[in-house]
Amino acid sequence: MTRFSVCTVIFMLFSSISVIAQPPRSAPTPNDTLQSVRVMDDGRVEFSIYAAKAEEVLIDGDFLSLSGQVFGRKTAMQKTNNGVWKYTSKSLPADAYTYSFVVDEVKTLDPLNALMKESENGYDNYFVMPGDAAAYCQNVDVPHGSLQEVWFHSDVTDKMTRFHVYTPPGYELMKKKLPVLVLQHGGGDNDGSWSTIGRANFIMDNLYAKKAAQPMVIVMPMGHPTDGFYSSLGLDDDPYYDQLFKEILPLVEKRYRVKNDRYSRAYAGLSMGGMQALNIALFAPEKFGYVLPLSTGFFEPQRKKLVSDYEEVLKNPEINKLKLFWIAMGGEKDIAYENGKALNKIFDQYNIKYQTSTYDAGHTFITWRHNLLEFAPLLFQD
């Protein structure tokens, strides 16, 4: 056999192997060109997912709270002839919204959308509804700060844990130390929630671009370092407080150029994190100059115990030395609304000074993003 013939045989052999090794192409489906989130001209949003063999598909998301429905109560989607399930919302204002699908009782992420909200036990998708009203939380062409994950071993829980840190644009060139905002998530979420669906870093970037806020370092801890939901009064039961004061804040002071005096620290938390904010305001007011509970309020048993067992706490003059005690709610649709209103009455009885604010979007990150947008410019003003 000639050299040319040998080369030809080898080439044909490898070509055959290559063809065999390639996986067969799947048959085309509607999913190949599907647009899973389509914003219509009138502000309605059409959600779609291809699930040809499914018997039932539901949708959930905080956008339902603005569509006359209850967030957390899943809504049926309709199946079309080509196996695509669809749901069309009512008209929505420009903002960011979560959603997820439930396919035959299994929560399913949108395979066509890489934007995801991180929480303690999983993920949800989200989308940003375009429009001027959403500009506050959009990723636009302005100077951006840095977002970092900080891992450390916690002696309090004897395990590795994590918190997020946001530093403002130009931080690397700043010589002065900055104040610190602790920004706490709620129950079921985690330290990544404020920087995904909360879009805290983009909100702050856009505020700084308008020179509307003082430069600050934002620390976003994991709010429940152990299993369980703590709603007790005080700082003793929940290991979170030991982790915050003995580990997280000292580590932040070691790694970042930050101030550590009372009036250079602010604490804001939502829902469960709001209860943690209330505990800090009442039981450790000397540690922070600004405390901002969002969408929260002690439950009735805790309120009764607060009055019966902790009257000296309610009379602590350090509470009224807070530069800002700012209590925000998501309107009457907020599941914490009644608890918050009842707790404020107790504060009134004991002459505790506070300010209130409302953004009427219920117990959702829609409310809490707008809370951040409103209170961040109030912090650390001379």
Side-chain angles (χ1 to χ4, degrees):
M1 182 179 293
T2 66
R3 182 178 179 182
F4 174 79
S5 299
V6 171
C7 291
T8 301
V9 171
I10 293 173
F11 174 78
M12 293 176 63
L13 177 61
F14 276 96
S15 297
S16 300
I17 293 173
S18 177
V19 170
I20 295 172
Q22 292 179 357
R25 293 183 178 180
S26 57
T29 71
N31 200 55
D32 298 335
T33 57
L34 188 64
Q35 186 176 352
S36 58
V37 179
R38 186 169 68 89
V39 178
M40 302 179 182
D41 292 339
D42 60 2
R44 293 181 300 156
V45 180
E46 182 185 73
F47 299 89
S48 302
I49 184 171
Y50 177 65
K53 297 182 180 180
E55 296 294 327
E56 178 187 59
V57 180
L58 308 176
I59 190 169
D60 193 13
D62 61 9
F63 71 92
L64 292 173
S65 66
L66 299 185
S67 299
Q69 300 179 61
V70 179
F71 178 33
R73 294 183 182 175
K74 302 170 182 64
T75 301
M77 301 181 73
Q78 300 299 315
K79 190 176 185 179
T80 62
N81 294 334
N82 61 357
V84 175
W85 296 74
K86 293 182 177 291
Y87 174 82
T88 302
S89 75
K90 293 184 179 180
S91 181
L92 299 174
D95 214 313
Y97 300 96
T98 62
Y99 70 100
S100 60
F101 301 115
V102 181
V103 179
D104 287 341
E105 301 185 356
V106 177
K107 181 177 179 178
T108 303
L109 290 174
D110 182 350
L112 303 178
N113 182 5
L115 292 178
M116 290 184 287
K117 170 204 170 186
E118 186 174 341
S119 59
E120 183 184 13
N121 298 310
Y123 296 87
D124 290 276
N125 290 107
Y126 73 91
F127 68 98
V128 180
M129 182 85 167
D132 293 342
Y136 79 102
C137 67
Q138 290 274 27
N139 180 4
V140 295
D141 186 15
V142 298
H144 290 282
S146 297
L147 184 67
Q148 301 171 351
E149 294 181 1
V150 179
W151 284 94
F152 71 102
H153 180 270
S154 171
D155 292 335
V156 172
T157 60
D158 193 27
K159 65 180 182 180
M160 295 300 296
T161 191
R162 183 188 74 172
F163 58 93
H164 279 69
V165 174
Y166 166 84
T167 54
Y171 169 79
E172 295 78 10
L173 301 178
M174 294 178 185
K175 295 182 179 180
K176 66 178 182 179
K177 292 184 177 182
L178 297 182
V180 175
L181 165 64
V182 177
L183 190 58
Q184 194 59 65
H185 63 81
D189 285 335
N190 73 358
D191 60 296
S193 299
W194 262 112
S195 57
T196 52
I197 187 58
R199 301 181 72 80
N201 47 317
F202 297 128
I203 292 172
M204 297 305 299
D205 290 340
N206 294 330
L207 284 173
Y208 290 136
K210 297 178 180 178
K211 301 187 184 303
Q214 293 295 321
M216 67 189 80
V217 171
I218 300 181
V219 180
M220 295 164 270
M222 180 65 172
H224 24 68
T226 58
D227 293 337
F229 180 98
Y230 290 88
S231 60
S232 52
L233 296 171
L235 311 183
D236 296 333
D237 292 342
D238 189 347
Y240 166 80
Y241 302 102
D242 274 347
Q243 192 175 81
L244 176 67
F245 291 124
K246 296 178 181 179
E247 297 180 331
I248 294 176
L249 288 176
L251 184 56
V252 169
E253 291 169 15
K254 182 179 179 180
R255 294 194 181 186
Y256 299 89
R257 295 186 302 280
V258 296
K259 300 177 182 179
N260 61 6
D261 63 282
R262 173 182 182 179
Y263 292 108
S264 296
R265 282 181 175 176
Y267 187 102
L270 65 92
S271 194
M272 179 196 75
M275 288 188 182
Q276 292 165 333
L278 290 170
N279 272 330
I280 286 172
L282 296 176
F283 293 87
E286 72 285 350
K287 293 184 180 294
F288 288 88
Y290 307 77
V291 179
L292 307 103
L294 316 175
S295 291
T296 195
F298 290 129
F299 298 109
E300 184 177 7
Q302 285 79 24
R303 296 197 302 271
K304 289 181 177 179
K305 188 173 183 179
L306 180 63
V307 173
S308 64
D309 296 359
Y310 294 101
E311 190 172 49
E312 75 285 358
V313 169
L314 291 167
K315 293 180 178 180
N316 184 356
E318 291 295 321
I319 298 173
N320 281 338
K321 292 181 183 178
L322 291 170
K323 281 195 174 181
L324 183 63
F325 189 20
W326 195 85
I327 300 172
M329 300 298 293
E332 294 185 8
K333 294 183 292 185
D334 194 327
I335 60 173
Y337 178 77
E338 294 298 333
N339 285 342
K341 187 168 66 172
L343 183 59
N344 288 351
K345 288 183 180 179
I346 295 175
F347 292 159
D348 293 338
Q349 292 169 10
Y350 286 87
N351 296 313
I352 292 175
K353 300 173 185 176
Y354 62 91
Q355 298 179 29
T356 60
S357 181
T358 299
Y359 190 85
D360 194 17
H363 206 75
T364 69
F365 258 104
I366 305 166
T367 291
W368 305 321
R369 285 192 303 272
H370 284 274
N371 290 159
L372 175 60
L373 179 68
E374 184 179 356
F375 75 68
L378 304 177
L379 302 179
F380 312 122
Q381 299 289 342
D382 295 331

